[in-house]
Amino acid sequence: MAIDTRVAPKIKHHDEEYKVIGTRPIRHDGLEKVTGEARYGSDINLPGQLHGKVLRSPHAHARILGIDASGAEALDGVSAVITSADLPDPGDKLTTGGEAPGLPVKFKSANMLARGKVHYHGHAVAAVAATNAHIAAEALKLIDVEYEVLDPVLEVWDAMKPDAPVIIEDLYTAKADGTTADEPSNVAAEMLYEVGDVDAGFAEADLVVDREFTFGVVHQGYIETHNATANWLKDGHLHVWCSSQGAFTIRQELADLLNHPITKIHVVPMEIGGGFGGKTTAYLEPLAALLSQQTGHPVKMAMDRADVLKATGPTPGGYVRVKMGVTNDGTIAAGYANLAFDAGGYPGSVVGAGCRCVFAPYNMTNAKVEGFDVVVNKPKTHAYRAPGATHAEFASETVVDEICRTLDIDPVEFRLKNSAKEGDWQLAMPPYPRIGHIECMEAARDSAQWQTPLETAPGKKRGRGIASGFWFNIGFTSSVIAKLNSDGSVTLLEGSTDIGGTRTSVAMQFAETLGIPVEDVDPIVADTDSVGQTDVTGGSRVTFATGLAAHNAANDMKEQIAEGLADLWDVAADAITHADGTFSANGNAASVREAAALLEEEGVFPIGKNTVTPTREGGAFAVHIADVEVDEETGKVEVLRYTAVQDAGVAIYPPYVEGQMQGGVVQGVGWALNEEYVYDDDGHLLNASLLDYRMPTALDVPNIETIIVEVPNPGHPYGVRGVGEVPIVPPPAAVANAIHDATGLRMSHLPMSPPRVQAALAAQA
Amino acid sequence: MATEILSGKVHVQTTINGEQVDFLAEPRESLLEVLRDHLGLTGAKEGCNNGNCGACNVVMDGALVNSCCVLSVEAAGASIETIEGVASPEGLHPLQQSFLENAALQCGVCTPGFIVAAKALLEENPNPTEYEVRWWLAGNLCRCTGYDKIVRAVLDAAERMRAEA
């Protein structure tokens, strides 16, 4: 079936009409990306540069007894070898900025280069700089590391046992009540959130469903591997080129890790080949910097794919228990959830975010949610697109489906009846502002897929599932500097790395506010010396927060233009009106272009600027429908048809909103059906390649139908809600519920890979 | 000793995007390394370095190959087309235009590989079905788009090219 989603259905819950917003211009950076001219981090080569490589631990858990690098140092072409002894001792300093401030720098430092112990297979132990990458790779083999191998602990349920090997010997649990544990353990932190009276709620319930779920580790799977090039000048100025989700965050981490003044660090954001949360922190940058300092040459480093899978920040595996009680009329009476996530080798998993999302689509009057951040012998985990939400809502949306089946209530009606809405309780946050879960559910109910009966086929097990998803989105800090050029065009400097079309979605908001065509705006992602503080591209925040900074900068520019014209026209600046891109007063009128020319003659060149830290990001909801076919022989699940509905607030740049939805769905389907880190009992990662860590190809998925719902976010002048993350949240549950519809099986582990489905089918028979 | 043999440089003469090119390379270097690091043709990307992702796709003597899996010395006497040779002085190739108009890229790092691969498909099969496009492009990984808009862009370009032919 051919379904045209090129201009997707859009369901507006507002009356605003815009000139630029909602249109489909060609993105500003598109040309360079289709011709191969765009410069990503690894595309830079500096005169005299050396190449760096990292030696990684072959063990999941071991004490380092000694490192002898003399063999490597003696190899022709090798200029330097560094270990953790070359990194400053961070003492008790805590991290600032980034996605997770307040963590001990010592953990981040030890993750850069292992200090005393290795915590996971692939943990960096030493780094080499040589005249080329091949010599650097040879040199790694000549570094002799003596290890005392220790028992690894790989899963949270094992790591939480009282007799588990303790990975960080001075880690004391930060308890939910603010106290600290007396004995060290692998549990870094506990959290607890409550509303109402959960025991009373369950006592009122006619049906209680209580299920446990487990999760493999998954990787963000960006196609570009991590890279960094550093040039440490003799006066201490450090220049770094890298592909990161946040140049300012890398600058801060370099300052923290190297004890180096921020003013001497200059980070240039190159184009970035995907991130999804996995490029929000430094791995190679500090090593390249140190190697450059020691050798006096620029040093370029790039991971290979095995390094990326072994030693960057995949997203946690772990455990989620969800218990929900309902009355016979289908009203949720109470909910309890318990989440324990892998932090990996050092504290700091995304379990708190999972806690916030687990019951988010529903109006919960009695709820209790507990979270545990657990250190295990796997790579230090990181954010991955709506981090934590996918695990949490896979569990709760599967339980909701089971409740609907048991009570014979339509899953759409159940969700509409119990949906969270404006004013309802929200975990760890003020009550919900205006949100669009009900509107998304209604749009899903009315969609072509939901309204078309599932196509059956003789002898085939097919089923349909539906699931909701929520992600809270993030504000953080963004800056824009916009320069009016003498021809009326605008050069717009922003600090947000553009991972998927945000140059244009930011420029469109600027253009809308100033009243000029978006083609007259030239958006540039600037380096850390050239634009104001800007946090990572993450939390679905760029079109929201950097867009807001652009809107504010356009208003600032408008005021400056009016002030300039006021002198020329001999009127008060506040007597000048601005509408549809034209300034007028007293019979005078000038378009932005005309104004720019007039002001140039006066030597006036307006620069609109703004730095903003908005907090009213508004939550994003999605509802997805999946039709699947389950192969009874192999256990393979094929997605036949898929519809994604999402509240975008207002879709600034619709083709790229659809693209985020479609991309999120396919990542979610990969997570649902196939992707998983495979470890042996000793903690060795067995599938560190893109052949064995098998992500969806074009052949594995159908076209993804999209429906954009617009319930404007009251916290943004154009109603923007972040769109990038929530589309990964519903797919595993939608697919699981479809598998149940097809087979009667309730799958409780992600991924629902062919061997697992096959085993479940066999057990069922 | 093996190292010395492998690191000794070999003179290779080849044709890239219609122009004769000479380079010195170590036999252990891949064609991808030579393109990127010696010749400054950085449009082909390294995503996996073992033939699983297609980001380094080039056409060599008419065959679509992963340049990370071709040794530099194998380029001797060959004719190679890279992403840098896809657009002409007159303008973009219809596939490039179609990728832009269909929003068929997000981060863009896989895009050169997809365009090179899709061009090879359309030269072999100017009127592919959606399934044929998906089958052909299954050697190219994209993590951003979910493939929907890429597949549409290729079908759209095929239609434009048939109309122009």
Side-chain angles (χ1 to χ4, degrees):
Chain A
M1 181 168 29
I3 301 150
D4 188 6
T5 60
R6 190 164 309 152
V7 178
K10 189 160 85 174
I11 298 168
K12 283 173 65 173
H13 293 272
H14 63 90
D15 300 322
E16 297 294 335
E17 295 292 338
Y18 297 110
K19 284 199 159 61
V20 179
I21 288 169
T23 61
R24 295 174 172 253
I26 286 178
R27 59 193 277 178
H28 296 79
D29 56 331
L31 180 90
E32 292 182 1
K33 286 179 175 160
V34 298
T35 58
E37 291 164 293
R39 304 267 284 162
Y40 295 76
S42 284
D43 298 338
I44 191 165
N45 286 300
L46 299 180
Q49 81 185 3
L50 304 174
H51 294 260
K53 287 273 181 199
V54 176
L55 179 69
R56 299 186 180 280
S57 168
H59 307 295
H61 193 195
R63 217 174 291 286
I64 299 172
L65 302 179
I67 301 176
D68 178 0
S70 55
E73 284 162 347
L75 184 69
D76 268 359
V78 172
S79 300
V81 181
I82 56 170
T83 66
S84 61
D86 296 276
L87 279 167
D89 181 349
D92 295 328
K93 203 163 51 169
L94 299 180
T95 59
T96 54
E99 282 205 313
L103 288 170
V105 175
K106 66 179 179 183
F107 292 146
K108 198 173 270 286
S109 176
N111 198 35
M112 293 302 117
L113 284 171
R115 202 176 277 270
K117 267 178 91 174
V118 290
H119 291 204
Y120 55 92
H121 178 210
H123 196 162
V125 173
V128 169
T131 48
N132 69 46
H134 293 278
I135 295 173
E138 282 175 47
L140 297 183
K141 296 178 199 160
L142 302 174
I143 300 174
D144 194 14
V145 185
E146 192 184 347
Y147 293 103
E148 176 196 347
V149 178
L150 304 170
D151 286 337
V153 56
L154 297 172
E155 302 295 353
V156 292
W157 44 90
D158 293 325
M160 293 173 81
K161 286 178 185 161
D163 59 344
V166 175
I167 298 167
I168 299 174
E169 284 138 13
D170 58 349
L171 184 67
Y172 298 87
T173 308
K175 292 184 163 286
D177 62 7
T179 62
T180 303
D182 298 330
E183 298 292 323
S185 76
N186 295 315
V187 180
E190 294 177 2
M191 44 215 83
L192 172 66
Y193 307 93
E194 282 182 287
V195 65
D197 183 338
V198 77
D199 294 330
F202 279 117
E204 276 172 33
D206 298 306
L207 171 69
V208 174
V209 175
D210 186 356
R211 297 285 176 256
E212 293 180 300
F213 303 86
T214 54
F215 300 84
V217 173
V218 295
H219 198 273
Q220 298 83 356
Y222 32 79
I223 304 301
E224 178 203 37
T225 64
H226 293 251
N227 58 75
T229 301
N231 194 12
W232 191 306
L233 305 185
K234 288 180 177 52
D235 63 359
H237 278 94
L238 169 62
H239 301 281
V240 174
W241 296 259
C242 58
S243 299
S244 153
Q245 287 176 243
F248 285 84
T249 299
I250 297 298
R251 185 179 70 164
Q252 182 66 48
E253 291 191 0
L254 286 166
D256 287 344
L257 291 164
L258 302 177
N259 257 345
H260 203 61
I262 273 194
T263 48
K264 295 212 166 187
I265 306 173
H266 169 227
V267 179
V268 181
M270 305 297 287
E271 296 296 341
I272 175 171
F276 312 108
K279 291 182 184 165
T280 52
T281 190
Y283 295 98
L284 297 176
E285 291 85 349
L287 309 185
L290 277 179
L291 289 168
S292 176
Q293 184 190 27
Q294 292 204 0
T295 61
H297 287 266
V299 174
K300 176 175 177 174
M301 301 183 78
M303 292 194 190
D304 64 21
R305 181 57 58 176
D307 289 349
V308 171
L309 289 165
K310 281 180 190 167
T312 59
T315 223
Y319 165 91
V320 178
R321 175 182 165 201
V322 166
K323 176 180 172 187
M324 293 178 81
V326 292
T327 52
N328 278 332
D329 69 345
T331 304
I332 297 174
Y336 168 75
N338 179 325
L339 297 80
F341 282 9
D342 293 348
Y346 295 96
S349 75
V350 294
V351 67
C355 291
R356 276 182 70 179
C357 294
V358 64
F359 294 127
Y362 302 105
N363 175 23
M364 304 299 291
T365 47
N366 301 303
K368 179 175 173 182
V369 180
E370 293 181 277
F372 299 88
D373 182 42
V374 185
V375 175
V376 296
N377 290 117
K378 292 195 278 200
K380 166 69 182 74
T381 59
H382 250 278
Y384 175 22
R385 202 169 200 158
T390 305
H391 310 72
E393 296 178 67
F394 168 66
S396 53
E397 286 298 283
T398 303
V399 167
V400 163
D401 196 70
E402 185 173 344
I403 288 169
C404 294
R405 290 271 171 178
T406 308
L407 295 181
D408 195 23
I409 299 175
D410 180 85
V412 169
E413 291 310 315
F414 180 89
R415 287 178 172 89
L416 285 172
K417 182 184 175 84
N418 289 285
S419 177
K421 57 192 180 308
E422 186 172 355
D424 285 348
W425 174 78
Q426 189 181 188
L427 189 146
M429 293 291 286
Y432 275 118
R434 180 82 170 90
I435 48 174
H437 182 230
I438 288 173
E439 290 79 357
C440 287
M441 191 56 65
E442 289 170 343
R445 178 194 61 201
D446 299 340
S447 68
Q449 186 172 352
W450 195 254
Q451 292 297 324
T452 307
L454 179 67
E455 228 172 289
T456 55
K460 302 281 188 190
K461 285 199 178 291
R462 290 183 172 179
R464 172 171 292 169
I466 189 166
S468 294
F470 168 80
W471 174 248
F472 45 79
N473 295 332
I474 288 170
F476 285 170
T477 298
S478 283
S479 296
V480 161
I481 298 173
K483 304 184 289 184
L484 181 65
N485 300 314
S486 58
D487 63 355
S489 69
V490 171
T491 303
L492 187 156
L493 304 179
E494 53 174 306
S496 292
T497 313
D498 181 355
I499 309 192
T502 52
R503 281 181 179 86
T504 301
S505 68
V506 169
M508 287 172 79
Q509 294 177 70
F510 185 93
E512 184 76 45
T513 303
L514 190 59
I516 60 176
V518 70
E519 292 77 14
D520 284 2
V521 183
D522 186 18
I524 310 283
V525 178
D527 62 74
T528 53
D529 285 353
S530 306
V531 69
Q533 173 69 33
T534 301
D535 291 324
V536 290
T537 293
S540 302
R541 60 176 289 282
V542 174
T543 300
F544 167 73
T546 313
L548 176 60
H551 165 76
N552 292 342
N555 278 329
D556 183 18
M557 181 177 284
K558 267 193 322 206
E559 282 178 26
Q560 293 178 38
I561 293 172
E563 281 163 18
L565 292 174
D567 290 343
L568 282 171
W569 293 346
D570 201 20
V571 296
D574 59 11
I576 295 177
T577 59
H578 174 269
D580 293 338
T582 300
F583 295 85
S584 40
N586 258 0
N588 296 300
S591 67
V592 172
R593 279 178 193 225
E594 289 161 347
L598 289 169
L599 297 181
E600 185 200 15
E601 288 176 21
E602 304 298 310
V604 175
F605 295 89
I607 298 177
K609 62 184 193 312
N610 186 249
T611 295
V612 66
T613 307
T615 55
R616 298 170 65 203
E617 50 268 20
F621 283 91
V623 177
H624 290 190
I625 305 162
D627 290 355
V628 307
E629 181 175 304
V630 181
D631 187 313
E632 286 182 87
E633 200 177 340
T634 63
K636 182 171 188 286
V637 176
E638 188 181 353
V639 178
L640 303 173
R641 186 173 179 182
Y642 204 101
T643 298
V645 182
Q646 186 175 324
D647 176 17
V650 168
I652 300 297
Y653 190 21
Y656 284 84
V657 174
E658 296 154 17
Q660 289 292 329
M661 293 165 71
Q662 292 165 331
V665 167
V666 171
Q667 285 188 318
V669 166
W671 193 342
L673 294 178
N674 214 44
E675 293 177 35
E676 170 175 38
Y677 273 31
V678 180
Y679 286 95
D680 68 14
D681 291 343
D682 296 325
H684 298 115
L685 180 62
L686 301 179
N687 61 333
S689 81
L690 291 184
L691 184 64
D692 298 319
Y693 185 86
R694 173 68 160 69
M695 306 192 294
T697 71
L699 205 50
D700 295 319
V701 287
N703 283 334
I704 309 299
E705 297 160 63
T706 58
I707 299 171
I708 296 172
V709 173
E710 293 194 335
V711 176
N713 171 16
H716 186 280
Y718 291 125
V720 173
R721 296 177 196 273
V723 298
E725 289 168 291
V726 75
I728 200 174
V729 179
V735 169
N737 294 341
I739 291 172
H740 177 267
D741 190 42
T743 63
L745 293 174
R746 282 286 171 206
M747 301 301 292
S748 60
H749 177 86
L750 288 186
M752 301 172 285
S753 52
R756 287 206 178 81
V757 173
Q758 191 186 39
L761 283 166
Q764 185 187 41
Chain B
M1 285 307 287
T3 296
E4 285 168 28
I5 293 164
L6 288 172
S7 60
K9 298 217 172 176
V10 177
H11 173 212
V12 176
Q13 196 167 70
T14 186
T15 302
I16 299 179
N17 300 326
E19 289 186 22
Q20 187 186 311
V21 173
D22 289 77
F23 60 82
L24 291 175
E26 299 177 20
R28 64 181 172 182
E29 287 182 295
S30 68
L31 175 58
L32 177 62
E33 287 180 89
V34 167
L35 291 172
R36 291 179 51 80
D37 299 341
H38 298 343
L39 303 177
L41 296 171
T42 55
K45 306 299 182 193
E46 179 187 318
C48 66
N49 213 26
N50 57 8
N52 290 316
C53 78
C56 66
N57 275 180
V58 301
V59 171
M60 184 164 157
D61 291 334
L64 181 65
V65 297
N66 291 307
S67 61
C68 70
C69 296
V70 176
L71 287 171
S72 55
V73 289
E74 294 181 87
S79 177
I80 293 162
E81 288 171 47
T82 72
I83 184 65
E84 287 85 356
V86 172
S88 67
E90 290 75 48
L92 294 178
H93 186 278
L95 272 164
Q96 293 171 313
Q97 191 62 34
S98 180
F99 267 59
L100 291 178
E101 291 177 10
N102 287 280
L105 64 152
Q106 284 178 31
C107 81
V109 83
C110 72
T111 308
F114 268 96
I115 288 175
V116 168
K119 181 166 177 279
L121 166 66
L122 298 187
E123 281 165 9
E124 191 173 299
N125 178 1
N127 190 12
T129 63
E130 183 197 321
Y131 180 82
E132 286 169 335
V133 172
R134 287 185 177 277
W135 190 90
W136 184 277
L137 295 179
N140 293 78
L141 292 175
C142 169
R143 194 59 160 174
C144 295
T145 64
Y147 303 105
D148 184 305
K149 292 182 190 300
I150 293 176
V151 173
R152 287 172 194 284
V154 174
L155 291 169
D156 185 23
E159 197 178 319
R160 292 180 201 204
M161 289 166 71
R162 288 198 305 277
E164 284 166 17

